[in-house]
Amino acid sequence: MNLKIEDYLVCNREIHLSQLTDFLAIPSISTLPEHKGDIEEAAEWMAGSLKRLGMNNVNVYETKGHPVVYGDWLKAEGKPTVLIYGHYDVQPVDPVELWHSPPFSAEIRDEKIYARGASDDKGQTFMHLKALEAILETTGTLPLNFKFCIEGEEEMGSPNLPAFAEEHKDLLAADLVVVSDTGMIEKGKPSITYGLRGLCGLQIDVRGPKGDIHSGLYGGGVQNPIHALVKIVDSFRSEEGSILVEGFYDDVLTATEQEKEEFTSLAFNEEGVKQELEVNELAGEEGYSYLEQTWTRPTLEVNGIYGGYQGGGLKTVLPSAAHAKISCRLVPNQDPGKIVELLKQHITKHLPAGVDVELTPFDQGHPFLTPIDHPYIQAAGASYEKVYDVKTSYIRSGGSIPIVATFKQLFNLPVVLMGFGLPSENFHAPNEHFHLENFDKGLRVLCQYWSDLAEMK
C-alpha cells in the first residue's frame, strides 16, 4: 500500500475514532418511532461527512420511511464505478441494564470500541469514508468512481429501499456493489461472504376472554391463551430440530459437496462458540455441522414471547391474550412470501379451541448467493491477504441483508461483501463492540482493494 496513505491513517487514527464516536452517539434506532428525529440527525451527519470528504451531488432523499443518503465522485474517466452500500440505523438497546457502558456513549476498552452500531453497521460504513479520505488527502484524486447509498431502514428489513432503487436506477448505476455489513469467520481470518440467508417473520396474537379473569373461578373451564400459544410454538419443530411446517423445505437449495468440503477445511472451532456464549451444548437440526446449520439451513425461531402478569409475586389470573414474535432465516430458492403463507396455514391448523389468532407479517428479504470466481470478488480476497498475510476464506453468513438480493436482481452486478466484524461482537445485543485491529487493518484492505481494481484490465 502507498506509504503516504499508511502514514495518513496512522497520524489521523485518533481523529477518526473521535469522529466515529460522534456518529455512534446518535441513537438512530429505526424501529422505534420516538427516534425519528435521531434518524434524521444521523442522515444529516452522513450527508455532511460525504460533503466534507469531497463527494459531489450529496443529497438526503426522503422515502415513505427513513431517508436515503447519496453522494458520488465520478472523475476517474474510463475506470469502473463502485456503489458502496451501508446503513446508519441501529437496533434497539434493550435490555439496557446489561450494558457495561452507555450504549450511545462509545468507550474503548481492550482495543475494542463499545457502542450500539460500532460493528453493525456504523463502524464499517464509516471506514469507507475514511479510506477514501486517506487516498484523496494523500494523492489528490481517487483511482475509481464511487457512489454512496446509505440507508436508515436496514434494521427493519429495508422496506422502502427496493422502491427507491427501482426509481433511481440511473442514479445508482455502477459496475459493482461493495457492502461492509458482514464479518470474518473468526479473529485473524479474513473472509469474503458469498451467501446470505433471507428473512421473514410474523407477530402472533392469541386472544381468549375479553379481559384477564380469575384463575380460581374460571381456571380449568376456559382456554388459557398462554397455554394455547405454547402449543402453537411447540408444533413448529421436532425433537431432532427439524421444522414441521408442511412444505417449509420444499424449495431449499442444499449445499454442494464441494461447499461442505470447504466448510470442513475451515476447521471451525465449535468449542470456542460454546465458550464465547457460555453454553454447555450447541443445538440445531440433526445431521448437519454447526456451519451448515447456520449458513445453509433455514430456521424458525421464537424471538419474543409474552403475556399475562409480569410483576413481582403471584397474581392468580388467566390472561386474556398472549403474544409471540417469530422469524425465519431462509436459504437460496426459498421465497419469503411463500414461507409466510405456509406459517399462517400451520398456525391456523394447530390453533387450540377457545381462542382466536391474529397474524401480522413483518418485512421480508430474499436470500443471496453469488459465484465466488468473479474477478472483482477474487481481487477483494487478494486485498485481504496482502494486509492480513493470511489466506482469505470464502464463507456464507447466517445473517440477512435484504437489499443485497435486490441489488443483484435489479442491476445484475457482482455484489462484494467485504466485512470486518467478528461473530463475537454482540451486534443486536448488549455490549456491541468492534475490534480496532480490524478497524485499522480494514481501512488498509479497502485502500488496497481500490488500488488493485484500478489496475485490473
Side-chain angles (χ1 to χ4, degrees), residues 240-251:
E240 296 73 34
S242 60
I243 296 165
L244 299 177
V245 176
E246 187 175 350
F248 189 87
Y249 292 110
D250 285 357
D251 300 322

Side-chain angles (χ1 to χ4, degrees), residues 13 48 51 60 86 103 174 178 225 263 276 283 288-289 300-301 330 344 388 423 429 433 446-447:
R13 184 178 191 260
K51 289 176 183 177
V60 178
V178 173
F263 299 163
E276 177 69 32
Y288 298 92
S289 70
L300 194 165
E301 300 288 355
L330 308 178
K344 288 180 177 180
Y388 281 85
H433 57 278
L446 292 172
C447 291

Side-chain angles (χ1 to χ4, degrees), residues 85 154 177 179-183 192-199 253 259 263 294-298 328-334 365-372 395-408 415-419:
Y85 165 83
E154 196 276 341
V177 181
V179 181
S180 295
D181 192 16
T182 52
I192 297 286
T193 302
Y194 69 92
L196 297 167
R197 291 195 286 192
L199 181 66
L253 181 65
E259 283 184 296
F263 299 163
T294 57
W295 290 357
T296 74
R297 300 297 294 169
C328 299
R329 299 288 178 169
L330 308 178
V331 297
N333 283 9
Q334 285 188 298
H366 285 265
F368 165 80
L369 192 66
T370 191
I372 65 173
I395 66 173
R396 292 208 206 180
S397 170
S400 306
I401 310 175
I403 195 58
V404 168
T406 301
F407 280 144
K408 179 78 172 175
V415 181
V416 186
L417 301 176
M418 298 182 70

Side-chain angles (χ1 to χ4, degrees), residues 23 26-29 38-44 46 60-61 66-69 86-90 121-122 125 150-154:
F23 191 23
I26 306 171
S28 48
I29 303 172
D38 299 312
I39 282 283
E40 293 171 352
E41 181 184 353
E44 292 297 337
M46 178 56 64
V60 178
Y61 286 89
H66 302 318
V68 174
V69 183
H87 63 93
Y88 60 82
D89 66 318
V90 299
D121 176 46
K122 286 181 175 179
T125 297
I150 313 298
E151 69 154 322
E153 295 186 327
E154 196 276 341

